[in-house]
Amino acid sequence: MKLALDLFCCAGGVAKGLTDAGWYVVGVDINPQPHYPYAFIQADVMNISFANFGLVWASPPCQGYSDMQHAPGAKEHPRLIEPVRNKLIRAKVPYVIENVEGAAWALRNPITLCGSMFDLGAQGCQLQRHRLFECSFPVEQPECQHEGPVIGVYGGHARKRAASAGGRGTRDVWEGGHRAAASEAMGIDWMTLAEMSQAIPPAFAEYIGRAALRKTDIEILEEEEDRLMAEDAAEATRCPLCRTSQIPSQDRA
């Protein structure tokens, strides 16, 4: 099983998806994450090594890129996409950088994933949760399938979006309560509502994680093919009787 590093991991939405795709995941966050479901290290991500990982996934804090940053009284937040990317490139590892749509200007050729691409939703409402992903390897861009009423998971609540956004009004009444609806919509059953509000659905990470594995498998096959071709070329230069090279040596008289 290949090893992935989950930076700014929070409560583990990415980790669950990468694990479902076939990766062994280690999470890193500067804050304690008691609900993180896999191996966890509490540390500043800028102070750790990325060596020996087959994939590094980074989800820098989105507040510095969110539309809410322009709201009156909003606090200033750091923008970490560029310094994180620089560290990833120097480490020469396959990587993913994930963030909100407001970060489009800071990301390089990102793809967009949406809950509608993975049939996510709850109680007759569709999860239309868009996130952007800068990937250092090819990942196919699916199409959104927006239709019907909409559920949003943010601010520690499960919201029925207004009719203008495809919802059925603004009454946030759910069978089993907000957490049950959010859990079903996101495909997450171990987080609090506040943690789900900050998470991405594991289905997003599984989709990209499988693409990363395909890239890794292709590279392994190409390396093996190159090795076999080199062996065949070396074998072709050997005398079939004495099994020594027939290429004249520069040291021979």
Side-chain angles (χ1 to χ4, degrees):
M1 186 174 289
K2 298 178 176 65
L3 190 60
L5 190 60
D6 178 14
L7 304 178
F8 309 96
C9 65
C10 293
V14 169
K16 176 62 165 62
L18 292 179
T19 299
D20 290 345
W23 293 89
Y24 181 85
V25 184
V26 177
V28 179
D29 202 289
I30 199 167
N31 298 312
Q33 298 297 337
H35 295 146
Y36 193 79
Y38 305 104
F40 173 75
I41 300 170
Q42 185 175 349
D44 184 336
V45 303
M46 300 304 291
N47 294 333
I48 65 171
S49 172
F50 298 164
N52 302 318
F53 287 93
L55 174 67
V56 179
W57 185 298
S59 300
C62 66
Q63 290 88 346
Y65 304 95
S66 170
D67 293 338
M68 294 301 293
Q69 67 176 311
H70 304 297
K75 296 180 179 179
E76 187 172 343
H77 294 277
R79 293 177 172 177
L80 299 178
I81 288 176
E82 184 174 0
V84 168
R85 179 194 294 117
N86 290 340
K87 183 175 173 67
L88 290 166
I89 291 174
R90 286 196 299 270
K92 299 181 180 179
V93 292
Y95 70 82
V96 179
I97 302 176
E98 174 264 328
N99 221 277
V100 295
E101 290 181 291
W105 62 270
L107 296 169
R108 297 177 180 175
N109 301 315
I111 67 165
T112 300
L113 295 184
C114 167
S116 70
M117 300 170 181
F118 304 95
D119 198 27
L120 298 178
Q123 301 182 29
C125 296
Q126 187 181 62
L127 182 73
Q128 296 178 7
R129 192 180 188 88
H130 288 186
R131 290 295 182 269
L132 304 186
F133 303 85
E134 174 185 326
C135 304
S136 68
F137 48 89
V139 182
E140 184 177 350
Q141 171 68 71
E143 295 294 328
C144 286
Q145 304 293 330
H146 290 182
E147 60 181 20
V150 178
I151 180 173
V153 180
Y154 51 89
H157 300 277
R159 302 292 194 186
K160 285 185 180 178
R161 297 273 293 277
S164 61
R168 295 180 293 188
T170 57
R171 291 188 62 215
D172 300 328
V173 179
W174 305 99
E175 294 180 14
H178 283 245
R179 187 179 183 281
S183 178
E184 180 184 352
M186 295 284 287
I188 292 172
D189 61 5
W190 69 93
M191 295 186 193
T192 66
L193 268 168
E195 289 169 338
M196 278 188 272
S197 296
Q198 299 296 319
I200 67 166
F204 291 10
E206 180 179 0
Y207 177 76
I208 293 176
R210 291 188 184 279
L213 282 176
R214 286 194 294 272
K215 174 188 181 295
T216 302
D217 290 342
I218 290 171
E219 288 180 341
I220 291 173
L221 289 173
E222 289 177 344
E223 289 175 0
E224 180 65 9
E225 183 178 9
D226 290 343
R227 184 185 67 81
L228 292 174
M229 290 178 63
E231 289 182 356
D232 290 344
E235 187 67 18
T237 67
R238 295 177 182 274
C239 170
L241 298 178
C242 63
R243 312 306 298 173
T244 58
S245 175
Q246 300 181 72
I247 298 177
S249 170
Q250 294 181 353
D251 295 333
R252 291 175 185 168

